[in-house]
Amino acid sequence: MQPRDLSAHTVYQAGRGIEEVARELGLDPDDLVKLASNENPFGPSPAAVEAIREAAASASSYPKASHADLTEKLADRWDVASEQVWLGNGGDGVLDYLARATLEPGDAVLVPDPGFAYYGMSARFHHGEVEEYHLSKDDDFALTAETVLSDYDGERIVHLTSPHNPTGKRFDLDAVEAIADETSDDTLVVVDEAYGEFADAPSAVELVRTRDDVAVIRTFSKVYGLAGVRLGYGIVPEEWADAYARVNTPFAASEIACRAGLAALDDDDHAEKTVETAAWAREYVYENLDAPTWESHANFVLAEVGDVLESDDSRASQNSERSGPASEVADELQHRGVIVRDCTSFGLPECVRITCGTEAETERAVAELNEVLSS
Ligand SMILES: *Cc1c(COP(=O)(O)O)cnc(C)c1O
C-alpha cells in the first residue's frame, strides 16, 4: 500500500529555524540573528499576545463567533461583503481553497519563476498542472504585464506576487488590470499581497471590488508577526462568495488565531513600527552592503553575493541544493551567527535574501556579510 504517485511533487523548503541552526553549530540561540524567513523582528503585536493568552481558556469551543467577527472586521476594513473574505490557515491555506474552488483535474496554473514554491505545490495537490513565466535578472526581475502574458496559455489561475518574493519588486495596478483584461474569462488572477503592507502602493483589492476575475491574498504572518499562529485571508470576487462554504476546512482558522488576528488589526503602533523599520533597513542594506541589491518593496532585500558564471564548475552545480556562491556565503554567515535565506532553491544560486531586522540585527547582518564577502 502506497500513497498516490507524488514524484512530481516538491517539498517546501522553509528558511532555517534558530533552534535548528543553534543545535547544529553548538551556539546559543540568543546569539543568533535570524533574517531568513521574512518574519517580524519585533515578534507578534503585544495586543495579539494578550489576546492569545485570554483565548486559551476558550480553546475547548469551535471558533464560531471569533471566525465571524474577524471575517466581518476584515470585510469592513476592505469595504467588501463578508462573504468575499476567506479565512485560511495562513495565506498558504487560502491558496489551497482557491485551487479547490477553481481547478478541475488537469487544469493548469501559471506561476512565476523564480517565485513562491507553494503556488505550484498547491495546484499539484489539487490535480492541476503547473506552467511558469520567467522573471529575468537581466531585466532586474521586472514585473510587467508582458512578462506574464508572453508565457500565458489559457491557464485557469495566474499567480502574481506583489511585492514579489524573493525579488521585492511589485506590479503596478495597471499591469494587474491589463493581465486580467488580456487573459480568458475563465482565468482567475490571484494577487498575493503577503508583503502588501510594506509597499507604498494601492492594493489590488481595488480591482476585486469591480471585477469577477481577480482575487487577493493577505497574511498575518509578516507585518503582524503571527507566522506561528497560521492566519491569512483571501478577498475574492462577489461572484465567488458562496464557493468558500463548499471548499473550506470547517473552522479554517482557529479560535486562538482569530482572536490574535482581531487584536493585531487594532494594533496600529506595532504595524507602523514594523513597516517603518523595514523601510529603514532596506535603505541601510542598499547603502552599506558590499554587494549588488535590488530595490525592494517588502521586508527583505535580495542581494547578489557571487557570480555563478565565474567557472564551469559552479555552473554545473546550479541544480544541486547545497552548492554555489549563495549557499557558501549563507553557510559561512551562519557560522558567524547570522541566518539569511540562500536562494538556491528559488533557482538563484548566486543570491541571498536578507530579511529586514531590527536596527541592531540589520547592522550586524550587513557587517558580517561584508566580512564574508571580503574574505
Ligand atoms: C509568507 C508568504 C505567504 C504566506 O505565508 P503564510 O504564512 O502561509 O500566510 C504567501 N506568499 C508569499 C509570497 C509569502 O512569502
Side-chain angles (χ1 to χ4, degrees):
M1 177 57 203
Q2 291 277 314
R4 70 176 165 114
D5 179 7
L6 298 173
S7 52
H9 292 237
T10 47
V11 177
Y12 184 79
Q13 310 235 355
R16 308 193 65 207
I18 279 203
E19 299 293 333
E20 181 193 354
V21 172
R23 225 170 283 147
E24 184 186 308
L25 301 178
L27 298 173
D28 183 341
D30 290 343
D31 294 337
L32 292 179
V33 170
K34 188 192 173 198
L35 302 176
S37 297
N38 302 339
E39 293 148 334
N40 191 315
F42 298 113
S45 140
V49 173
E50 186 53 35
I52 289 171
R53 240 183 230 120
E54 278 172 24
S58 47
S60 52
S61 303
Y62 286 108
K64 204 157 182 212
S66 59
H67 208 278
D69 289 352
L70 179 57
T71 302
E72 190 96 346
K73 194 177 183 86
L74 289 167
D76 275 356
R77 178 165 287 224
W78 289 108
D79 193 20
V80 295
S82 53
E83 293 75 21
Q84 291 176 262
V85 177
W86 292 12
L87 297 186
N89 190 48
D92 298 343
V94 180
L95 285 166
D96 283 343
Y97 294 152
L98 289 172
R100 283 187 206 173
T102 312
L103 300 182
E104 298 285 357
D107 280 352
V109 306
L110 186 65
V111 307
D113 169 38
F116 190 57
Y118 198 67
Y119 305 142
M121 293 172 66
S122 179
R124 289 193 183 96
F125 297 157
H126 297 89
H127 306 274
E129 309 284 331
V130 181
E131 303 294 341
E132 294 179 332
Y133 59 93
H134 299 278
L135 309 178
S136 157
K137 197 166 73 177
D138 297 338
D139 202 13
D140 278 334
F141 302 110
L143 296 176
T144 65
E146 295 72 52
T147 308
V148 178
L149 292 170
S150 62
D151 286 316
Y152 169 75
D153 187 23
E155 285 81 4
R156 191 75 160 93
I157 299 179
V158 171
H159 285 285
L160 311 181
T161 320
S162 186
H164 185 271
N165 180 7
T167 67
K169 301 274 151 186
R170 65 174 181 80
F171 282 96
D172 285 332
L173 276 199
D174 288 348
V176 177
E177 194 162 30
I179 292 165
D181 282 341
E182 295 296 319
T183 49
S184 140
D185 288 347
D186 292 331
T187 295
L188 180 69
V189 176
V190 176
V191 188
D192 181 346
E193 295 183 344
Y195 302 97
E197 293 86 353
F198 297 100
D200 190 11
S203 166
V205 171
E206 218 169 271
L207 302 176
V208 182
R209 292 195 197 102
T210 56
R211 310 184 60 111
D212 66 358
D213 57 355
V214 176
V216 168
I217 291 179
R218 290 253 167 171
T219 179
F220 285 82
S221 295
K222 310 284 160 56
V223 77
Y224 296 113
L226 293 171
V229 312
R230 315 301 303 126
L231 180 64
Y233 59 99
I235 300 197
V236 306
E238 217 165 0
E239 290 79 355
W240 287 61
D242 81 312
Y244 183 63
R246 297 168 193 269
V247 300
N248 79 330
T249 307
F251 304 108
S254 76
E255 172 75 4
I256 307 281
C258 291
R259 293 286 170 212
L262 281 162
L265 284 175
D266 283 336
D267 191 348
D268 291 338
D269 289 349
H270 177 265
E272 271 167 30
K273 178 172 77 171
T274 303
V275 169
E276 279 167 17
T277 305
W280 171 86
R282 291 188 305 234
E283 294 294 329
Y284 186 87
V285 175
Y286 307 150
E287 278 167 28
N288 295 285
L289 188 68
D290 299 331
T293 52
W294 284 270
E295 189 193 9
S296 168
H297 299 276
N299 66 339
F300 54 81
V301 175
L302 186 70
E304 185 168 36
V305 294
D307 183 351
V308 279
L309 301 178
E310 264 168 16
S311 75
D312 287 341
D313 267 5
S314 52
R315 188 197 294 242
S317 63
Q318 268 191 56
N319 292 328
S320 85
E321 290 296 333
R322 305 282 332 146
S323 59
S327 68
E328 272 170 40
V329 167
D331 267 356
E332 180 55 35
L333 202 52
Q334 202 164 280
H335 283 282
R336 295 163 174 262
V338 176
I339 314 169
V340 298
R341 178 68 192 254
D342 162 14
C343 289
T344 303
S345 71
F346 283 101
L348 298 172
E350 70 282 28
C351 294
V352 298
R353 190 193 64 196
I354 307 153
T355 301
C356 297
T358 60
E359 293 193 10
E361 287 171 339
T362 306
E363 285 165 3
R364 177 168 162 208
V366 167
E368 297 284 3
L369 187 46
N370 283 344
E371 286 203 20
V372 170
L373 289 171
S374 71
S375 64

